Amino acid sequence: MELEKIKNELIVRGYSQKTINQYLLYIKDYIENAEKENIDWKSSEKETKEFLTKYLAQKRTNLTNTSLSLIYFTLKFLYKNYLKTNLMDDFKAPKKEKYLPNVLTQEEIKRLFLFTRDTKKRLILELLYSTGLRVSELCSLKRSSLNFEDCTA
């Protein structure tokens, strides 16, 4: 019954169906875990806060920061918007993971140019590589934007 009320609140607030499904999944899991440990998840007492800390720490062991953020914002919605408490104020969302870009080696670039037989495609690749243009910038590039005397764009 409680999940139905939460679902209606999410719908009224204009959340997408995918978000609603994910939120309900994590809220159901949270409520079930709280009830297993006889925790009143609706209260804003110290006991609930300690359980919430333990719950998030347990999730941290096998989930990415992206998934943890989703759980964090789900629980923040539950407590701040649905239950109207400030229980989540002391918790911080996990930082977004930073990934290094995948960069081709000089040898891979040489082979890429060598095996590109079509002159037009090779020119496009060489222009992208040598100038650092994005594909969208290349697509919107006009001939009048090129200065062939100074070899600039």
Side-chain angles (χ1 to χ4, degrees):
M1 187 65 192
E2 196 72 43
L3 284 176
E4 195 63 37
K5 289 179 186 176
I6 295 169
K7 181 179 180 179
N8 291 336
E9 182 71 24
L10 290 163
I11 291 169
V12 167
R13 290 177 180 266
Y15 284 74
S16 74
Q17 190 58 51
K18 186 176 179 182
T19 302
I20 291 170
N21 293 341
Q22 285 295 303
Y23 272 36
L24 291 175
L25 178 81
Y26 287 126
I27 289 172
K28 182 179 178 189
D29 180 63
Y30 175 72
I31 292 171
E32 286 173 356
N33 277 285
E35 288 174 349
K36 278 182 194 173
E37 297 201 22
N38 296 320
I39 303 293
D40 179 14
W41 60 272
K42 291 183 181 180
S43 81
S44 58
E45 295 174 13
K46 183 181 177 188
E47 182 182 80
T48 306
K49 200 170 206 172
E50 286 173 0
F51 172 74
L52 188 54
T53 303
K54 182 177 142 189
Y55 179 79
L56 290 172
Q58 173 205 0
K59 293 295 182 186
R60 180 173 295 282
T61 59
N62 57 0
L63 294 175
T64 64
N65 280 2
T66 305
S67 296
L68 287 172
S69 288
L70 181 58
I71 293 172
Y72 167 81
F73 287 111
T74 299
L75 295 174
K76 186 172 182 172
F77 169 83
L78 177 67
Y79 281 103
K80 191 169 189 110
N81 299 100
Y82 183 71
L83 296 174
K84 310 281 190 245
T85 68
N86 295 324
L87 190 65
M88 290 295 293
D89 287 353
D90 293 338
F91 294 93
K92 301 282 185 223
K95 290 185 178 180
K96 194 171 187 177
E97 295 166 345
K98 294 183 180 171
Y99 298 100
L100 291 175
N102 203 358
V103 181
L104 298 175
T105 65
Q106 286 183 339
E107 185 59 38
E108 290 171 325
I109 296 293
K110 286 177 187 175
R111 285 197 347 238
L112 183 66
F113 292 154
L114 182 68
F115 289 114
T116 306
R117 302 260 185 248
D118 185 339
T119 309
K120 181 180 177 182
K121 290 177 183 172
R122 184 176 177 161
L123 176 64
I124 289 171
L125 284 173
E126 287 181 1
L127 185 61
L128 285 170
Y129 180 72
S130 64
T131 61
L133 285 173
R134 296 180 180 99
V135 173
S136 61
E137 294 170 333
L138 177 69
C139 291
S140 64
L141 195 63
K142 305 282 187 254
R143 185 182 170 122
S144 58
S145 302
L146 301 174
N147 183 340
F148 292 103
E149 292 174 13
D150 297 333
C151 295
T152 58

